[in-house]
Tab-separated table of all heavy atoms in Angstrom:
chain	number	residue	atom	x	y	z
A	34	LEU	N	20.205	0.388	15.429
A	34	LEU	CA	19.815	-1.018	15.354
A	34	LEU	C	20.732	-1.740	14.370
A	34	LEU	O	20.861	-1.333	13.217
A	34	LEU	CB	18.359	-1.154	14.893
A	34	LEU	CG	17.289	-0.593	15.832
A	34	LEU	CD1	15.920	-0.660	15.173
A	34	LEU	CD2	17.282	-1.356	17.148
A	35	GLY	N	21.369	-2.786	14.837
A	35	GLY	CA	22.207	-3.583	13.959
A	35	GLY	C	21.377	-4.564	13.146
A	35	GLY	O	20.357	-5.073	13.612
A	36	HIS	N	21.813	-4.835	11.931
A	36	HIS	CA	21.089	-5.769	11.069
A	36	HIS	C	22.025	-6.254	9.974
A	36	HIS	O	23.096	-5.677	9.738
A	36	HIS	CB	19.865	-5.095	10.438
A	36	HIS	CG	20.210	-4.038	9.427
A	36	HIS	ND1	20.348	-4.304	8.084
A	36	HIS	CD2	20.479	-2.713	9.580
A	36	HIS	CE1	20.671	-3.196	7.443
A	36	HIS	NE2	20.754	-2.214	8.325
A	37	SER	N	21.623	-7.317	9.318
A	37	SER	CA	22.365	-7.847	8.171
A	37	SER	C	21.449	-7.988	6.963
A	37	SER	O	21.677	-8.842	6.101
A	37	SER	CB	22.975	-9.212	8.523
A	37	SER	OG	21.959	-10.131	8.897
A	38	GLN	N	20.405	-7.172	6.924
A	38	GLN	CA	19.428	-7.252	5.842
A	38	GLN	C	20.040	-6.753	4.533
A	38	GLN	O	20.495	-5.615	4.447
A	38	GLN	CB	18.192	-6.418	6.189
A	38	GLN	CG	17.129	-6.365	5.113
A	38	GLN	CD	16.510	-7.720	4.843
A	38	GLN	OE1	16.336	-8.520	5.747
A	38	GLN	NE2	16.185	-7.980	3.593
A	39	PRO	N	20.055	-7.582	3.495
A	39	PRO	CA	20.566	-7.125	2.191
A	39	PRO	C	19.575	-6.178	1.537
A	39	PRO	O	18.433	-6.039	1.993
A	39	PRO	CB	20.711	-8.434	1.400
A	39	PRO	CG	19.712	-9.355	2.014
A	39	PRO	CD	19.652	-8.997	3.472
A	40	PRO	N	19.977	-5.507	0.469
A	40	PRO	CA	19.062	-4.584	-0.216
A	40	PRO	C	17.777	-5.272	-0.668
A	40	PRO	O	17.778	-6.452	-1.029
A	40	PRO	CB	19.888	-4.102	-1.417
A	40	PRO	CG	21.304	-4.255	-0.980
A	40	PRO	CD	21.335	-5.471	-0.112
A	41	PHE	N	16.696	-4.519	-0.627
A	41	PHE	CA	15.409	-5.046	-1.081
A	41	PHE	C	15.440	-5.212	-2.600
A	41	PHE	O	15.704	-4.252	-3.331
A	41	PHE	CB	14.273	-4.095	-0.694
A	41	PHE	CG	14.172	-3.841	0.787
A	41	PHE	CD1	13.653	-2.644	1.263
A	41	PHE	CD2	14.593	-4.790	1.702
A	41	PHE	CE1	13.551	-2.403	2.621
A	41	PHE	CE2	14.501	-4.566	3.066
A	41	PHE	CZ	13.979	-3.366	3.527
A	42	LYS	N	15.161	-6.417	-3.053
A	42	LYS	CA	15.129	-6.705	-4.484
A	42	LYS	C	13.876	-7.492	-4.823
A	42	LYS	O	13.265	-8.119	-3.960
A	42	LYS	CB	16.375	-7.498	-4.903
A	42	LYS	CG	17.686	-6.748	-4.721
A	42	LYS	CD	18.858	-7.586	-5.192
A	42	LYS	CE	20.175	-6.837	-5.022
A	42	LYS	NZ	21.337	-7.646	-5.472
A	43	LEU	N	13.518	-7.453	-6.097
A	43	LEU	CA	12.342	-8.196	-6.535
A	43	LEU	C	12.509	-9.691	-6.317
A	43	LEU	O	11.533	-10.399	-6.078
A	43	LEU	CB	12.065	-7.910	-8.020
A	43	LEU	CG	11.512	-6.515	-8.354
A	43	LEU	CD1	11.395	-6.349	-9.862
A	43	LEU	CD2	10.150	-6.314	-7.697
A	44	SER	N	13.758	-10.167	-6.399
A	44	SER	CA	13.999	-11.593	-6.198
A	44	SER	C	13.758	-12.014	-4.756
A	44	SER	O	13.540	-13.195	-4.480
A	44	SER	CB	15.436	-11.943	-6.599
A	44	SER	OG	16.370	-11.186	-5.846
A	45	LYS	N	13.801	-11.054	-3.824
A	45	LYS	CA	13.571	-11.342	-2.411
A	45	LYS	C	12.127	-11.085	-1.993
A	45	LYS	O	11.769	-11.315	-0.842
A	45	LYS	CB	14.500	-10.486	-1.546
A	45	LYS	CG	15.982	-10.709	-1.806
A	45	LYS	CD	16.414	-12.108	-1.409
A	45	LYS	CE	17.918	-12.293	-1.595
A	45	LYS	NZ	18.355	-13.660	-1.195
A	46	VAL	N	11.324	-10.601	-2.920
A	46	VAL	CA	9.930	-10.275	-2.626
A	46	VAL	C	9.027	-11.274	-3.341
A	46	VAL	O	9.180	-11.514	-4.543
A	46	VAL	CB	9.584	-8.837	-3.068
A	46	VAL	CG1	8.106	-8.550	-2.835
A	46	VAL	CG2	10.437	-7.840	-2.301
Side-chain angles (χ1 to χ4, degrees):
L34 295 174
H36 69 91
S37 59
Q38 177 64 35
F41 302 152
K42 296 182 180 180
L43 288 176
S44 58
K45 300 294 183 179
V46 176

